[in-house]
Amino acid sequence: MAQPLKDLINAQSVSVLADGLAAAWPAFPRARFTAQALTGLDGLELKARVTHVSAALHDALPLPYPQAAALVRECAATLDMWSGWPATDHTATQGLDHLEAAMETLAALTPYATGEFAVRPYLERYRDDAIKIMYGWAESPDEHLRRLASEGSRPRLPWAGRVGWLMTPGPTLPLLDRLRDDPSEYVRRSVANHVNDLAKDHPDTALELLAKWRADGGSHVERVLRHAVRGLLRAGHPEALALVGATPGSGAVHELSLDSPTVAVGGKLAFTVTVTAEAAGPVLLKYAVRRPGSRRVFHLGQRDASGAGATFTVRKSHSFRPVTTRDEPPGARELDVIVNGRVAATVPFTLTAPGEPAQEGVL
């Protein structure tokens, strides 16, 4: 089993941060900081651990923020994701009255530790001044800083608080235009995720932007476009389907069969589907698992049809492995197969409690 992420904020990561600060400032109270940071750490979850170590760091740096920030910048290159995350959190909480020093510190830290969460309070408080600094980051020769410009300003950045004005399209579009064909895939992927966020609330704006990028051309535009439009494709948005060359609603399911009509929690639902194209071009296949109050859509595949009548068979196993973020109670379910945005076939099945015998036979 993979190590829980929270366990990576630990005695070793605290020691790395302490060593870096002690090298930058010989008066740094290393032993006191380490003891305070480690006290109670094991009982905390990931983000609470970051906050806990950040608070200990603040107590150990009883200096005016610009001086404390200079020390953090000096040791930035000695840090990594896990030792540096509390340093970016320290910047987010302690530098709010010092925009320039704080943003300079995030710029120094971001090649080594995540900075997208820490920049959010500055976008909230300083809006125009903060985004202007990020426009400058988009011109940086450092791919990490260019990526921070896009990632930190995402409307729906996971794990981050919402910044109200970022939910309205406009202010971040110059960043995306600048970075859309960036030489770094790391940056381009962030741009695509940013547009995917935008599409959840403003699909027309996102589609207009992507169509403009295609018209403008670029070495990487098609890959960025496909990743950026994935949420709209999952939702069966007709204009998004057309943007990637698919005919909305076109295609039929010739056969859909389950290996078994029951699957236990922790097991896998195996199924086979045969699809016939009704037009030339991409055939985008999704599937949905439904129960009352829940419908989750997943990628099944894509095939390129040479013309009407082309037939494809796809086999898939869907896992019902328990996860802490989602409850899957036993009971009746339905499996939908979605072809170019349209539900083309549905079959029922039953999710059973672990240990219950599976039924034989194929639907």
Side-chain angles (χ1 to χ4, degrees), residues 146-154 157 176 179 184-197 227:
R146 299 197 306 274
R147 189 255 186 186
L148 179 57
S150 169
E151 194 73 6
S153 60
R154 280 178 58 180
L157 178 65
L176 303 180
L179 299 172
S184 168
E185 184 178 359
Y186 180 53
V187 177
R188 296 194 305 271
R189 193 166 187 86
S190 175
V191 170
N193 287 337
H194 192 132
V195 178
N196 186 58
D197 282 1
H227 192 61

Side-chain angles (χ1 to χ4, degrees), residues 58-351:
H58 175 57
D59 289 345
L61 287 177
L63 302 169
Y65 178 76
Q67 292 177 244
L71 295 173
V72 172
R73 292 195 298 272
E74 187 171 340
C75 75
T78 70
L79 306 178
D80 60 13
M81 171 67 181
W82 308 106
S83 59
W85 195 348
T88 64
D89 188 75
H90 174 269
T91 305
T93 57
Q94 304 304 322
L96 277 173
D97 293 329
H98 304 274
L99 173 65
E100 296 290 342
M103 297 291 270
E104 182 183 354
T105 303
L106 291 179
L109 286 167
T110 202
Y112 313 102
T114 183
E116 58 260 31
F117 307 127
V119 79
R120 308 290 279 193
Y122 296 92
L123 289 166
E124 181 73 64
R125 177 178 288 196
Y126 293 101
R127 183 172 173 157
D128 293 342
D129 290 336
I131 200 70
K132 183 177 179 180
I133 292 171
M134 295 176 81
Y135 289 159
W137 290 351
E139 303 292 337
S140 171
D142 188 332
E143 67 172 354
H144 299 92
L145 201 51
R146 299 197 306 274
R147 189 255 186 186
L148 179 57
S150 169
E151 194 73 6
S153 60
R154 280 178 58 180
R156 291 177 170 268
L157 178 65
W159 290 15
R162 295 285 185 264
V163 177
W165 64 269
L166 290 177
M167 303 299 288
T168 301
T172 66
L173 296 186
L175 289 172
L176 303 180
D177 276 330
R178 170 64 182 82
L179 299 172
R180 68 177 183 84
D181 202 39
D182 195 272
S184 168
E185 184 178 359
Y186 180 53
V187 177
R188 296 194 305 271
R189 193 166 187 86
S190 175
V191 170
N193 287 337
H194 192 132
V195 178
N196 186 58
D197 282 1
L198 177 65
K200 293 175 182 178
D201 301 293
H202 305 280
D204 292 344
T205 300
L207 289 167
E208 181 180 348
L209 180 67
L210 293 172
K212 175 181 178 297
W213 288 356
R214 172 176 279 167
D216 291 344
S219 302
H220 311 286
V221 63
E222 292 302 323
R223 290 189 66 181
V224 171
L225 184 151
R226 178 56 64 94
H227 192 61
V229 82
R230 67 190 186 279
L232 292 177
L233 293 177
R234 188 180 298 116
H237 194 291
E239 290 184 35
L241 287 159
L243 189 67
V244 299
T247 302
S250 174
V253 169
H254 176 68
E255 182 180 1
L256 171 59
S257 62
L258 307 179
D259 283 13
S260 171
T262 63
V263 58
V265 173
K268 293 182 177 181
L269 177 74
F271 63 95
T272 303
V273 59
T274 300
V275 177
T276 301
E278 295 175 340
V283 179
L284 274 64
L285 305 175
K286 310 286 182 183
Y287 71 96
V289 176
R290 289 190 290 116
R291 61 179 170 86
S294 174
R295 181 178 188 265
R296 294 183 294 123
V297 179
F298 305 89
H299 183 65
L300 181 55
Q302 177 180 330
R303 300 294 186 270
D304 293 315
S306 58
T311 300
F312 313 98
T313 297
V314 180
R315 183 165 175 79
K316 178 71 176 180
S317 291
H318 177 84
S319 175
F320 283 95
R321 178 177 58 87
V323 295
T324 57
T325 56
R326 183 176 64 249
D327 182 35
E328 280 287 6
R333 299 286 193 279
E334 288 187 303
L335 173 73
D336 294 332
V337 172
I338 305 163
V339 183
N340 282 353
R342 179 179 63 86
V343 175
T346 299
V347 64
F349 67 98
T350 302
L351 185 66

Side-chain angles (χ1 to χ4, degrees), residues 11-37:
Q12 181 180 352
S13 69
V14 169
S15 179
V16 169
L17 178 57
D19 287 345
L21 286 164
W25 185 41
F28 181 70
R30 189 189 189 287
R32 176 164 62 85
F33 162 70
T34 301
Q36 183 177 343

